[in-house]
Amino acid sequence: NAGVTQTPKFQVLKTGQSMTLQCAQDMNHNSMYWYRQDPGMGLRLIYYSASEGTTDKGEVPNGYNVSRLNKREFSLRLESAAPSQTSVYFCASRRLTGKAAGNTIYFGEGSWLTVV
Amino acid sequence: AQSVTQLGSHVSVSEGALVLLRCNYSSSVPPYLFWYVQYPNQGLQLLLKYTTGATLVKGINGFEAEFKKSETSFHLTKPSAHMSDAAEYFCAALNQAGTALIFGKGTTLSVSS
């Protein structure tokens, strides 16, 4: 049972380059998320997709775009990478959005991105 | 504003000592609260969660947390620390819309022998 799978795990980019982080979940979850983790900042929400066909901005969306390709896959794109986007990126998924009890969010293993 | 505050970015304990990691949440978030653990270079693993019912919640690896509405707190405890507990711990709350988690800044737990 793979859960939430992210690729690549490590990537070094030059300033101005573009790249896409891929995420797939095999739990038939409806909602998917992209967070970034920076030292001393905790995790901050970049974008989320409450269900297939919808996407919404989170706390720190600038410089990113997302695509909910289908129910399983949710990609994050950096169009023109900047050093400030050096971070660890986590994809996550959840069965349903809303306040349903027992509705845990499951995380992938993370993608370490360095922009030089 | 919706927020989660973890008191203490770094906590150090001796092996066998009590572990107490503090978390307070703003009263504007609904009472759906979570603790996650992150081991070095790994993703986040759910330790425990409070959604409804009993306010003392037991999780994996001997951890537990108590939801105290009057104090807007959800502190994490473990009676006896083990070396393998050394990790970063995150407290999180569901946002008001129920769409995503709001995280605290994290607490790094160090355990010495």
Side-chain angles (χ1 to χ4, degrees), chain A residues 2 7 10 13 17 21 26 40 43 49 59 76 91 93 96 98 107:
Chain A
T7 57
F10 299 99
L13 282 179
Q17 286 185 320
L21 298 175
D26 62 2
L43 278 77
S49 170
E59 182 185 357
L76 177 72
C91 179
S93 73
L96 294 170
F107 285 83

Side-chain angles (χ1 to χ4, degrees), chain B residues 9-69:
Chain B
S9 59
H10 201 126
V11 170
S12 297
V13 300
S14 299
E15 195 171 21
L18 171 71
V19 175
L20 171 60
L21 304 182
R22 299 177 188 274
C23 174
N24 288 89
Y25 61 93
S26 60
S27 56
S28 58
V29 302
Y32 294 92
L33 301 162
F34 304 77
W35 276 99
Y36 284 86
V37 60
Q38 183 183 31
Y39 299 102
N41 299 320
Q42 293 189 23
L44 278 73
Q45 179 183 3
L46 181 69
L47 269 180
L48 50 79
K49 62 184 179 184
Y50 172 79
T51 52
T52 58
T55 56
L56 182 62
V57 180
K58 294 187 185 300
I60 63 172
N61 301 338
F63 284 93
E64 61 183 36
E66 187 171 10
F67 169 66
K68 291 188 176 181
K69 186 176 180 179

